[in-house]
Amino acid sequence: MQVRMGAVIEIGTGSLRADDVVAVARDGAPVGLSAAARAAIVESRARVDALAASPVPAYGISTGFGALATKHIPPERRTALQRSLIRSHAAGSGPEVEREVVRALMLLRLRTLATGRTGIAPATADALAGLLNAGLTPVVPEYGSLGCSGDLAPLAAVALVLTGEGSVRDRSGELVPAAEALPAAGITPVVLAEKEGLALINGTDGMLGMLVLACADLRSLVRHADLAAALSVEALLGTDRVFAADLQALRPHPGQADAAENLRALLAGSPVVASHAGPDDPRVQDAYSLRCAPQVAGAVRDTLAHAVTVAERELAAAIDNPVVLPDGRVESNGNFHGAPVGYVLDFLAIAAADLASISERRTDRLLDAHRSHGLPPFLAADPGVDSGYMIAQYTAAGIVSELKRLAVPASVDSIPSSGMQEDHVSMGWHAGRKLRRAVDGLRRVMAIEILTAARGLDLRAPLTPAPGTGAVVAALRERVPGPGPDRHLSPDLDAAVEAVASGELLAAAEGVVGALK
């Protein structure tokens, strides 16, 4: 994990920018509470302390939780209640969740604490910020959240570390007991008072963190989809006429317009396209995977725009139960339900699967001598002796098949829990987990198409690609050699994936044609 020096991201009582979430989760940006947030925390804590001293039971403060909410807990047992809540809810299982997801989850919980709607103690909020700034990442198992009453088990794993139990990964990735790591970082383990256990675990922060990170990745990948499509259009001797602005305007979806504009920019001045643009070309129209590229990539953009809107609303939300309202009331609510986030996580998985599917179809077309308009079978140097990129398409097809399975929605699969008190849950955490795998698969399928189309363009010599697509091919050739006899292909695939992930191919194109939409 890289550590950004300076540039402290201030956590206030209001919304948080998605870019700040990415900076903390991926780049290690430091965080701090604003003066307004600290004042709001102190004020709401005072209200909770007053209710704790009252003889009238208040949920989450002087009662049990969930199905045990009717049981009154005497003052002398409430510290034990909080400790038991965290220990019992830290019941996750399975492999460790990725560091960036855990850091996003921690930041987003801190943001809700900073609103002053949770009743957390200032020292507890400071300890959570301290974990982030020290680069200590609690070990969070993958399974345990149903996406309702919050991401309970994942958040409890973080809360457990705040109390000095559980384990963390330090900045170098070494596994360290929390009891050792916290004092070494100058963090005092917290003793949770009334309401604090619920305040730490009753949120949708895990699924929201995964949504924010996925949106950041997909904003890049949808532009890579246009790069890949433009390369394939050229390599397959396709036409750019179908991307004309007046044709696209007949169906006024904003994402479609942006994708078509990108394709026009990338293909502008292409000698390959010009070589067959005259009346002698016998083909009437290109295959759907070429002709409909902006319609599909555009629909993905519009789906992504909706997901970003949901994420922005959630980044302004205060998710807890009960909540401390500005007038001092402490009220139960259902805002912890993950449906709004779960739906768009599922929706994005559908969009990612379809964008990968159309990409794989173009890859397959490039490799088929019957449909590639003069390219050698499988783009092999010596067909028969060499297999070229035959099995690269197998890899893409296998990933696309997996993405179709991952596109099955999690958010419709409610399983009742907690003695039927929590009788309808969102499964939003699971939607987020499968979306992360879908984004990774989409990136790999895109990389395979770019690798394949670039080879096809090389084989069109002496014809040359457009300036924009030519810059992409040149950048790729810094990592992957051009056509030649078969060699170990996996390293080439991995190099192409890294070139997509780093954004260097996109930067090469934009250096020529300007920023893509």
Side-chain angles (χ1 to χ4, degrees):
M1 180 185 68
Q2 297 179 346
V3 181
R4 280 197 340 187
M5 303 306 294
V8 174
I9 291 174
E10 188 174 72
I11 311 301
T13 58
S15 184
L16 190 64
R17 296 189 319 123
D19 288 348
D20 290 338
V21 177
V22 176
V24 172
R26 290 182 169 164
D27 301 331
V31 302
L33 290 170
S34 72
R38 194 169 296 280
I41 290 171
V42 169
E43 181 181 354
S44 68
R45 183 64 215 174
R47 179 58 181 164
V48 169
D49 287 341
L51 287 171
S54 170
V56 178
Y59 174 67
I61 298 173
S62 54
T63 71
F65 311 112
L68 302 177
T70 58
K71 185 173 178 61
H72 182 262
I73 308 298
E76 66 273 12
R77 297 294 295 154
R78 291 176 190 168
T79 296
L81 169 67
Q82 300 301 315
R83 184 171 60 245
S84 294
L85 172 69
I86 299 305
R87 285 174 170 172
S88 65
H89 283 54
S93 183
E96 293 180 35
V97 173
E98 302 84 2
R99 184 183 187 112
E100 68 177 25
V101 172
V102 178
R103 286 183 60 82
L105 175 152
M106 294 162 66
L107 173 66
L108 293 170
R109 184 75 323 222
L110 179 62
R111 194 212 66 79
T112 283
L113 301 181
T115 64
R117 305 278 72 86
T118 72
I120 200 77
T124 305
D126 286 337
L128 184 53
L131 283 182
L132 284 166
N133 291 338
L136 299 178
T137 306
V139 172
V140 175
E142 181 169 15
Y143 302 110
S145 174
L146 298 182
C148 201
S149 291
D151 291 318
L152 290 175
L155 283 163
V158 173
L160 190 69
V161 165
L162 289 175
T163 69
E165 299 185 36
S167 299
V168 300
R169 296 279 178 184
D170 65 15
R171 209 182 292 278
S172 67
E174 182 179 354
L175 186 65
V176 184
E180 298 175 12
L182 267 64
I187 301 170
T188 302
V190 300
V191 177
L192 299 176
E194 293 93 341
K195 176 66 176 67
E196 290 198 278
L198 282 180
L200 288 171
I201 68 174
N202 232 317
T204 54
D205 309 286
M207 64 184 87
L208 176 58
M210 288 186 280
L211 175 61
V212 171
L213 294 170
C215 285
D217 290 336
L218 288 168
R219 276 194 294 269
S220 172
L221 286 174
V222 77
R223 288 181 289 166
H224 279 89
D226 297 336
L227 288 186
L231 289 164
S232 292
V233 166
E234 277 191 299
L236 288 166
L237 302 183
T239 180
D240 61 351
R241 294 193 304 274
V242 294
F243 308 135
D246 55 354
L247 291 175
Q248 301 299 316
L250 296 175
R251 196 182 195 189
H253 292 287
Q256 178 179 327
D258 288 345
E261 184 175 341
N262 288 346
L263 286 165
R264 291 195 301 272
L266 289 163
L267 292 170
S270 169
V272 177
V273 172
S275 71
H276 60 91
D280 294 334
D281 189 343
R283 287 169 297 167
V284 176
Q285 54 189 13
D286 291 326
Y288 285 8
S289 58
L290 304 179
R291 194 178 358 143
C292 302
Q295 284 75 14
V296 173
V300 173
R301 279 178 168 80
D302 293 340
T303 301
L304 178 58
H306 171 60
V308 167
T309 297
V310 172
E312 288 172 347
R313 292 169 183 160
E314 287 288 304
L315 288 169
I319 307 296
D320 194 14
N321 182 49
V323 290
V324 182
L325 294 170
D327 61 7
R329 289 180 296 127
V330 177
E331 296 283 1
S332 292
N333 67 94
N335 286 336
F336 49 73
H337 199 286
V341 183
Y343 290 169
V344 292
L345 288 164
D346 280 336
F347 201 173
L348 287 176
I350 293 170
D354 197 44
L355 193 58
S357 179
I358 196 171
S359 172
E360 182 277 331
R361 288 293 79 204
R362 292 190 293 258
T363 296
D364 180 67
R365 184 168 288 271
L366 283 157
L367 300 176
D368 184 354
H370 299 291
R371 295 178 290 147
S372 65
H373 305 292
L375 293 173
F378 306 107
L379 306 183
D382 184 3
V385 174
D386 292 328
S387 294
Y389 283 178
M390 178 193 295
I391 308 304
Q393 184 267 332
Y394 283 38
T395 300
I399 294 171
V400 169
S401 184
E402 175 68 12
L403 294 188
K404 292 174 183 177
R405 291 188 288 273
L406 292 171
V408 175
S411 55
V412 297
D413 189 25
S414 176
I415 296 180
S417 59
S418 191
M420 291 300 290
Q421 178 72 4
E422 299 168 9
D423 59 352
H424 184 79
V425 297
S426 78
M427 294 297 181
W429 171 271
H430 293 269
R433 298 307 297 160
K434 68 186 183 64
L435 177 58
R436 285 182 65 80
R437 290 190 287 274
V439 168
D440 177 71
L442 172 61
R443 183 181 296 114
R444 295 177 187 279
V445 172
M446 286 289 167
I448 290 171
E449 182 188 358
I450 290 171
L451 187 70
T452 304
R455 187 178 179 110
L457 275 173
D458 285 339
L459 293 170
R460 292 293 183 191
L463 291 174
T464 56
T469 51
V472 175
V473 175
L476 181 65
R477 291 291 168 253
E478 294 293 319
R479 287 180 176 267
V480 181
D486 283 356
R487 58 181 173 269
H488 184 193
L489 194 51
S490 286
D492 287 359
L493 300 185
D494 291 342
V497 171
E498 179 55 34
V500 171
S502 71
E504 63 201 63
L505 303 182
L506 190 61
E510 291 184 330
V512 175
V513 305
L516 298 179
K517 293 186 174 181

